[in-house]
Amino acid sequence: MCKHNSFRKARLTLLALAAAGAFPSAQAQTQTLPAVTVTAPRGGSLTVPTAAEAAQEINQTPGAVEVVPASSWQDTPAATLKDMLDFTPGVFAQPKWGGDSRLSIRGSGLARYYHLRGIELLQDGVPMNNADGSADFQMIDPSAYQFVEVYKGANALRFGATTLGGAINFVSPTGHDSDRFQARVDTGSFGWRRTQASTGFVSGKVDGFITGSWQRESGFREHSRNHAVRVNGNLGLRLANNAETRFYLFSGSARNQLPGSVTRDAALHDPRRAAAINVLNDWQRNDDVTRISNRTTFISGNTTYEAGGWFSRMHLDHPIYQYLDNGYNDYGLYARAQNETPIAGHDNRATLGLRWSAGTVNARNYVNSDGQKNGLLSHVNNRADNITVYGENAYHVVPDVSLIAGFQYLSAERKQTDLFNGVGPANRSGSRTYNLFNPKLGVLWQAGPTWQVYGNVSRSGEPPTFGDMQFSTQNDLARLNAQRGTTIEVGTRGNSKDWKWDVAAYRARLKNEIECVSSQFNICQVAQNLDHTIHQGIEAGLQWTALRGLFVDQARSSDSLNLKVAYTYSNFYFQNDPIWGNNQLPGMPRHYLRGELVYKHPSGFYGGPTVEWVPQAYYADNANTLKTAPYALLGLRAGYNQGPYSLFIEGRNLTNRTYIASASITDRANASSPLFEPGAGRAVYVGLQIRY
């Protein structure tokens, strides 16, 4: 290794050790960086990094990225994506019902009330999305992961993704870094119950980890009972000192009643009541999922090779406005190589990857008669095929400055075969292929031992999902184009003794942004390409150890007061649109802030207030005629964490504020438009965990 590479890695290690605990839970907030440079500890697995290793890798990205450790949500009643990533600036996740959420990063998929689009979800580097790019959240288990990697926008090129929103990777423990035994029990308001247990082992060249959880909730709203059982496990085999293969298995079942969207007035004045049609026809979403995958890593000299594959099967039983009975099969293969051979005496890191993914949806729609199947209305088979080639090269022009150039090429086919209407003009069969090339340029400056400055410009591209494509006639396929965008981003991240920060500003100009206009049931009645739109904003995270030695000031330990804030500013608007002019894009608040002020005692006790604040209402329609309502939610959390035992208690929305948690969008709304999901009222949760 050349001296430049050693110097760079020594500096990055310090930043990585801080970033691995970025925005941690209260009991971890007083940790500081060591006074001397050390090497980040190498985990026992070649296929799965530790949080410190992941931070060292991710902080070589010239853009906004995060490693969120499990300590950020471990001592909370975390049940949804919102609970896990609420202190990640730029991520806007709001609850809907059960385990479902509405997720957007940088305004991605704002118009998708269901079936996420514009963000790639992965578990241990393997896609959780369906092959057409859509995804759901019911099978995400917060108790099953050791950390989460968040790649915003084109910074997700690490996985070959270049969507507007980026990618989120949920990383499981292995036998090397898991507890031999761990268990927890949670209970709380609205019938919330959860039990979970895990174990791990290492035996010679073999290691393994398995975790299972069971949860049930009667729900805050009428007709919102939910129940889920999930099992995650992996088994690793060290083939040689420089090679390892790991197999993953997930199996899950979720049963959810759907309370539905209501009018603004109902959401703010009668928030517990469900939509009448949802109760009448017993709207539900019931999923059964099995997923298997493999990752194999081989290291030779300065090159790391990685390859793997996956297969996922899901059955969806979904009585809504119709009774949907769908079977999903998704599968794929990938290969990736990273070489760190210096060029002309300068550090260089070259990456090249290839991924093939495909999937089918066997979709039958029936008449929903009081929650039961009646006559068959349609039967189609959808197939998606994708080939992605991507590469990136980071060249250090001087030891502390690297220039990065990358690209992604995507060829995506969407095909539908109508099995119901036979041959003739009523047949809704058709196919279309989208070919996209997305380049990226960036610069990363290691400005000091523990902080960085970065900037990049990138292209993004997203083909439509099957939920976007109507297939009413074959001509409809030519109507909907791929969404394209160009994003400019600058930012900085780092830490000092008492401060940690992560700040990014971006501006994206989109062409053909895909927007779904909701019908009365919030179904994507019409998907359309908008002309030109602007997404711009600021993502800022701050952590400050404000006071040390407040009541206890000892040589080896002291108490502290810790402030943690995540702020997201979003300014999204039409740009000289022929219909909507320069109106605001609906579906996202201009300002969103999460904060907490937590006192920590060296005995293991911690506690303090929390806040969630949306100071301005946001629009729910393109015409900008109907808004949500501003709100501020106050909470309080406390706990004790010492040795193998931990206990927490958390109160949420303690003022019992009625508010709108999530909103779908339409073109023109009025007071009777059922677009809003009310948030939960006052709630209290407690949990106990033991680990050895």
Side-chain angles (χ1 to χ4, degrees), residues 151-167:
Y151 301 80
K152 304 169 193 174
N155 300 305
L157 191 60
R158 156 74 173 90
F159 297 104
T162 55
T163 59
L164 175 66

Side-chain angles (χ1 to χ4, degrees), residues 17-22 24-34 69 71 495-500 543 545 548 558 560 562 600:
L17 291 174
S25 60
Q27 58 267 34
Q29 287 183 359
T30 58
Q31 294 178 351
T32 58
L33 290 172
S71 58
N495 72 288
S496 63
K497 179 181 178 181
D498 292 326
W499 295 85
K500 293 180 182 177
Q543 182 178 309
T545 303
R548 298 182 188 272
S558 62
S560 60
N562 304 274
K600 185 206 172 190

Side-chain angles (χ1 to χ4, degrees), residues 3 6 72 91 123 192 240 246 311 314 409 472 493 553 571 579 605 666:
K3 64 180 182 179
S6 300
S72 295
V91 177
Q123 183 169 345
W192 167 250
R246 187 168 300 276
F311 175 81
M314 180 177 79
Y409 172 76
S472 298
R493 55 178 169 251
D553 190 4
N571 182 16
I579 300 175
F605 167 80
T666 189

Side-chain angles (χ1 to χ4, degrees), residues 4-19 33 37 55-63 347 349 395-404 442-455 491-495 501:
H4 294 326
N5 200 37
S6 300
F7 182 71
R8 175 178 60 86
K9 288 195 172 183
R11 285 192 162 186
L12 281 174
T13 295
L14 287 173
L15 186 61
L17 291 174
L33 290 172
T37 299
Q56 183 168 351
E57 174 71 21
I58 204 172
N59 282 327
Q60 297 179 56
T61 306
D347 290 341
R349 186 181 68 256
Y395 180 75
H396 286 252
V397 291
V398 295
D400 292 332
V401 177
S402 58
L403 299 180
I404 297 95
V443 59
L444 179 64
W445 174 34
Q446 189 74 36
T450 62
W451 67 289
Q452 297 174 319
V453 177
Y454 57 79
T492 177
R493 55 178 169 251
N495 72 288
W501 71 89

Side-chain angles (χ1 to χ4, degrees), residues 632-636 651-659 679-683:
L633 306 181
L634 300 178
L636 184 67
R652 297 182 174 181
N653 192 9
L654 294 179
T655 61
N656 203 29
R657 175 70 181 268
T658 57
Y659 71 104
R682 184 186 296 114

Side-chain angles (χ1 to χ4, degrees), residues 97 222-225 256-260 274-275 278-279 282-285 318-320:
W97 42 263
E222 176 189 13
H223 199 70
S224 61
R225 185 180 302 274
N256 297 274
Q257 292 180 325
L258 309 184
N278 288 50
V279 178
D282 194 19
W283 286 31
Q284 302 177 38
R285 182 186 170 100
H318 198 15
I320 46 175

